[in-house]
Amino acid sequence: KRLGVLIFTILTSSVVMAGFIGRDTLPDVHDPTIAYRTQITIDTIASGQFPPAWHNTLNYGYGYPLNLYYAPLITYLTAIATSLVGNVVIGVKLTLWCITLFGILGVYKLVIKYGLVASLVASTAYAMLPYHASALYVRGSYAEYLAINLLPWVIYFWTKPLDQKKHMIMASVSMALFLISHNTIPFLAFPLVITISFLSQKNNYKQIILALVLSLALPAAFLMPIFFERSYIQLDSVATKTVLADHFVTPAQLWYSPWGYGGSTPGEGDLMSFMLGKGQIVLSILGLIFAVVLRDQSILLISIPLIAMLLAALPLSRPIWDLIPTLALLQFPWRVLGIATLGLAYISGYLFTRIKNNIGLVIGAVVVSLLITTNYTYFRPWNTHTFNHDIVTSEANLHPLVLNKIPEYLPAWMDDFPSKPSVDGLTRTAVAVRGKITSSDLVPLTIKTAYMPHWRLTLNGYPTDIIPNEDGTIRSHAVVPPGEYEVELTWHKTTLEMIGVAISLVTLIIVLGLSL
């Protein structure tokens, strides 16, 4: 049985990942930055900065806090895989394949209590969702793809008896990883998971609260900058430029919308599809009816909150979006579909809960085959791009990539991206800017690096206060006499970030202690 499940999981995940075949190529997607982010992360760590935060090659050499405010888990995973295999493209593909495999197994574990056939159908329905194909082959939203494949495991552990220490630890760790997998999806799913956990474990409130505290404390080093220092970058202003009202979907689009590789547009003329899969929708409706007829509260407890997220993607939910301004940071209301898909798969599998004999296995095999054959064509790229080490480290590629694809992390003191490279004769790494600068007048000393509160300056070994120039670069607060100066600009964690690191380390020690 275990061997069969393993073979099934490998084959299904291989169908999902078939479009990634090719040694040096990755699908041409809306966000093609995964290979660049991976290499930048590796280079930053090699420069001596961990966790990686700042990279001086980006932003025309003025620097960019790429890793500091972006959910880091996907980049860390691809960086580890790349370091092991020695090739950034293979590292990315290996990571995505493992994520797919992990998600299939997560749904299997979550649904196996309803029987083998139910779990196989549910995991196939989840893996073969067209929405997942869109994340992989159209949008390139690999952090979101990681989050929605972690979600089955999060719910699995949070519905276990948390009065057992091992379950509480796994619930805490899975939620901590979930929270650093994507900047928005986990925080939408977070209250749903906690609600499901409270309702399913009515006598374990203290354990749930303890697991909740550990879940938030473990990733504090990553969460605190994202939550409390976001004013240092232009993340919110860039995100809120998207008009939410333009990106709701209709029920008809969930059933069928033409498959495409373009973007989300106002109205129903989107150039990308929001289909959830006709088979998945039919099975989930039948499964929901079946659960209501049987009055099975346990299945409804998990499936209904998740499926209810479908409503949040529809125009009728707009008053709620308008009522909570922070939801505008999500940019696209249809992103909640990533959460709802688990509910569809879960309740789809439940339809087969009473099927346990050999005839049931045959029926399950037919359903699994139909789910694969009716959806596999979506798991293909429309085009591919070649990547290698020279390409992902080329400054000519990196500047337009940041400008066009990831502008939200531009330091707040810069009104716009620089129009020409930074040239001041100084040597730059991820942790320091060093060299000599000659001043010919009694003026403040300027360094052509983007200002952030993390920088500390010494001139000829003496600490010197800094402030931002009008263009967002760094200058000394006071004027300096003419002469040559030995400049050392070093990157340091803010007080808040240090507190976050301390909280994470202490919590990690506590979790390790509990696991012994």
Side-chain angles (χ1 to χ4, degrees):
K1 179 180 175 181
R2 290 180 179 176
L3 179 60
V5 170
L6 179 61
I7 293 172
F8 160 80
T9 305
I10 292 173
L11 291 176
T12 306
S13 60
S14 297
V15 173
V16 172
M17 293 297 297
F20 280 82
I21 295 175
R23 177 176 171 79
D24 295 320
T25 61
L26 289 171
D28 184 6
V29 291
H30 297 173
D31 182 0
T33 61
I34 186 64
Y36 296 94
R37 290 178 188 264
T38 300
Q39 190 60 53
I40 286 169
T41 299
I42 293 172
D43 293 344
T44 303
I45 294 173
S47 295
Q49 188 182 73
F50 187 84
W54 183 264
H55 202 281
N56 277 300
T57 306
L58 301 178
N59 194 19
Y60 255 154
Y62 288 83
Y64 208 63
L66 177 63
N67 293 93
L68 187 57
Y69 301 101
Y70 183 75
L73 186 57
I74 182 66
T75 312
Y76 286 175
L77 293 176
T78 55
I80 292 171
T82 297
S83 300
L84 291 175
V85 301
N87 181 291
V88 66
V89 173
I90 296 176
V92 169
K93 292 178 180 180
L94 178 61
T95 302
L96 293 176
W97 182 76
C98 289
I99 291 170
T100 304
L101 193 72
F102 196 66
I104 294 171
L105 286 174
V107 177
Y108 173 85
K109 290 287 289 183
L110 185 62
V111 184
I112 190 61
K113 58 189 174 185
Y114 299 116
L116 177 62
V117 176
S119 62
L120 294 179
V121 170
S123 55
T124 305
Y126 197 64
M128 301 306 301
L129 279 156
Y131 186 84
H132 292 185
S134 175
L136 279 173
Y137 293 100
V138 178
R139 295 184 289 124
S141 299
Y142 301 127
E144 180 183 332
Y145 185 69
L146 171 61
I148 59 183
N149 278 285
L150 281 174
L151 183 56
W153 288 100
V154 174
I155 293 179
Y156 173 75
F157 288 118
W158 278 83
T159 51
K160 288 284 186 181
L162 295 186
D163 54 352
Q164 295 183 30
K165 188 168 62 174
K166 64 178 182 179
H167 291 153
M168 185 181 65
I169 291 172
M170 292 306 300
S172 303
V173 172
S174 64
M175 180 64 83
L177 293 173
F178 185 53
L179 291 175
I180 62 172
S181 64
H182 192 260
N183 276 20
T184 53
I185 295 297
F187 301 100
L188 289 172
F190 182 80
L192 294 180
V193 174
I194 301 305
T195 300
I196 290 170
S197 183
F198 268 107
L199 293 176
S200 61
Q201 303 187 63
K202 297 181 179 179
N203 297 320
N204 291 333
Y205 292 159
K206 291 183 179 179
Q207 286 75 16
I208 292 174
I209 293 172
L210 177 57
L212 182 59
V213 171
L214 294 175
S215 299
L216 294 171
L218 267 176
F222 304 103
L223 297 183
M224 292 187 75
I226 292 174
F227 275 101
F228 302 112
E229 292 183 345
R230 55 194 308 121
S231 61
Y232 294 167
I233 56 173
Q234 300 187 20
L235 177 63
D236 292 358
S237 61
V238 171
T240 52
K241 288 179 181 178
T242 303
V243 181
L244 283 173
D246 291 342
H247 299 284
F248 289 99
V249 298
T250 65
Q253 285 180 294
L254 300 179
W255 176 256
Y256 172 77
S257 47
W259 192 258
Y261 293 87
S264 175
T265 61
E268 297 184 43
D270 299 282
L271 303 177
M272 57 185 286
S273 179
F274 300 103
M275 289 186 295
L276 297 178
K278 294 179 181 179
Q280 284 91 334
I281 292 175
V282 170
L283 289 174
S284 62
I285 291 174
L286 294 176
L288 196 57
I289 293 172
F290 190 47
V292 171
V293 170
L294 294 180
R295 297 182 181 180
D296 191 333
Q297 294 183 359
S298 64
I299 186 72
L300 296 174
L301 183 68
I302 294 178
S303 58
I304 288 182
L306 294 173
I307 295 176
M309 292 300 289
L310 290 175
L311 300 177
L314 304 179
L316 60 86
S317 68
R318 183 177 174 181
I320 298 176
W321 291 84
D322 293 339
L323 186 65
I324 308 175
T326 54
L327 290 178
L329 300 177
L330 192 64
Q331 294 183 288
F332 305 102
W334 46 257
R335 273 183 170 162
V336 300
L337 296 177
I339 301 170
T341 54
L342 178 58
L344 292 181
Y346 188 74
I347 199 70
S348 295
Y350 182 75
L351 182 62
F352 300 87
T353 188
R354 298 295 179 90
I355 299 178
K356 302 182 183 299
N357 53 27
N358 290 335
I359 295 177
L361 286 173
V362 173
I363 294 173
V366 171
V367 173
V368 165
S369 299
L370 287 173
L371 286 170
I372 292 175
T373 55
T374 56
N375 292 295
Y376 81 94
T377 55
Y378 303 126
F379 292 84
R380 297 289 184 276
W382 77 281
N383 195 12
T384 59
H385 278 314
T386 299
F387 291 90
N388 55 42
H389 186 271
D390 292 338
I391 290 173
V392 298
T393 56
S394 166
E395 292 187 18
N397 292 336
L398 290 173
H399 177 66
L401 190 79
V402 169
L403 175 64
N404 298 321
K405 298 297 182 182
I406 43 178
E408 59 265 39
Y409 305 115
L410 184 67
W413 297 269
M414 282 189 156
D415 293 332
D416 203 354
F417 286 91
S419 59
K420 57 184 179 180
S422 167
V423 179
D424 56 12
L426 300 178
T427 300
R428 288 169 164 80
T429 69
V431 293
V433 178
R434 295 185 175 94
K436 293 182 179 180
I437 290 182
T438 301
S439 176
S440 57
D441 296 304
L442 187 65
V443 294
L445 201 65
T446 292
I447 300 172
K448 293 185 177 180
T449 290
Y451 176 85
M452 290 284 283
H454 303 71
W455 290 116
R456 295 180 189 172
L457 175 66
T458 62
L459 298 179
N460 294 335
Y462 291 95
T464 303
D465 291 337
I466 60 173
I467 59 174
N469 274 312
E470 290 184 0
D471 62 355
T473 56
I474 293 172
R475 73 174 176 88
S476 61
H477 184 269
V479 297
V480 298
E484 186 177 72
Y485 292 88
E486 190 72 33
V487 172
E488 184 171 47
L489 188 70
T490 52
W491 180 273
H492 299 265
K493 289 181 175 62
T494 63
T495 301
L496 187 75
E497 290 165 17
M498 291 295 292
I499 293 172
V501 170
I503 292 173
S504 291
L505 289 176
V506 171
T507 309
L508 179 60
I509 293 171
I510 292 172
V511 170
L512 291 174
L514 290 173
S515 63
L516 296 177

